């Protein structure tokens, strides 16, 4: 392929894909999110000043567009939590906080460290 970074370019279908598997929504509750958060060994943080995401609603829409289930948006603290699953077994939990000026801090917890890191890069690119 002439474009090695093409995989990082947001396409019309912006769902996150890893090893040929697209992320699917994982419909869980906030309580289930909290329980699973502590059990996932891999943590991939990212931080970006975004031109695309300035509000919690925009952040939650971004999570939905990459294939994650929007678990809860906490407007008081501008935090949102989302959950997805890749390949039927790789769980992904995403916590994001949107601060004034478009600063977005995201923590990704996953069952696969490599996939979590790839997702962090993917989200960083989506936020740019």
């Amino acid at each position: 392929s002439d474009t090695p970074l093409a995989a990082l370019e947001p396409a019309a279908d912006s769902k996150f894909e890893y090893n040929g598997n697209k992320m699917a929504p994982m419909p869980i509750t906030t309580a289930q999110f909290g329980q699973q958060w502590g059990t996932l060994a891999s943590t991939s943080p990212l931080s970006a000043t975004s031109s695309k995401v300035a509000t919690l609603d925009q952040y939650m829409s971004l999570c939905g567009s990459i294939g994650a289930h929007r678990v809860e948006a906490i407007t008081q603290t501008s935090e949102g939590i989302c959950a997805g699953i890749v390949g039927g077994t790789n769980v992904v939990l995403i916590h994001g906080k949107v601060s004034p000026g478009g600063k977005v801090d995201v923590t990704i917890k996953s069952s696969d460290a490599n996939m979590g890191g790839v997702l962090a890069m993917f989200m960083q690119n989506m936020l740019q």
Side-chain angles (χ1 to χ4, degrees), residues 69-121:
H69 169 70
R70 295 175 256 207
V71 179
E72 186 182 11
I74 306 134
T75 48
Q76 299 87 339
T77 56
S78 262
E79 291 175 89
I81 55 174
C82 301
I85 192 156
V86 179
T89 54
N90 291 325
V91 173
V92 178
L93 300 180
I94 308 167
H95 172 276
K97 182 170 178 62
V98 182
S99 304
K103 185 171 188 312
V104 184
D105 293 294
V106 178
T107 304
I108 297 164
K109 294 279 271 187
S110 64
S111 52
D112 180 302
N114 192 46
M115 180 190 69
V118 173
L119 177 57
M121 284 190 294

Side-chain angles (χ1 to χ4, degrees), residues 15-122:
K15 285 197 173 33
F16 174 68
E17 196 172 307
Y18 182 73
N19 285 349
N21 296 302
K22 289 187 190 258
M23 185 186 302
M26 188 169 76
I28 58 172
T29 65
T30 300
Q32 288 169 318
F33 182 99
Q35 287 163 353
Q36 290 210 15
W37 186 264
T39 67
L40 296 172
S42 166
T43 303
S44 304
L46 70 114
S47 189
T49 301
S50 179
S51 58
K52 297 178 187 143
V53 173
T55 66
L56 182 57
D57 284 346
Q58 289 171 327
Y59 168 76
M60 296 302 281
S61 291
L62 172 75
C63 285
S65 75
I66 66 169
H69 169 70
R70 295 175 256 207
V71 179
E72 186 182 11
I74 306 134
T75 48
Q76 299 87 339
T77 56
S78 262
E79 291 175 89
I81 55 174
C82 301
I85 192 156
V86 179
T89 54
N90 291 325
V91 173
V92 178
L93 300 180
I94 308 167
H95 172 276
K97 182 170 178 62
V98 182
S99 304
K103 185 171 188 312
V104 184
D105 293 294
V106 178
T107 304
I108 297 164
K109 294 279 271 187
S110 64
S111 52
D112 180 302
N114 192 46
M115 180 190 69
V118 173
L119 177 57
M121 284 190 294
F122 181 81

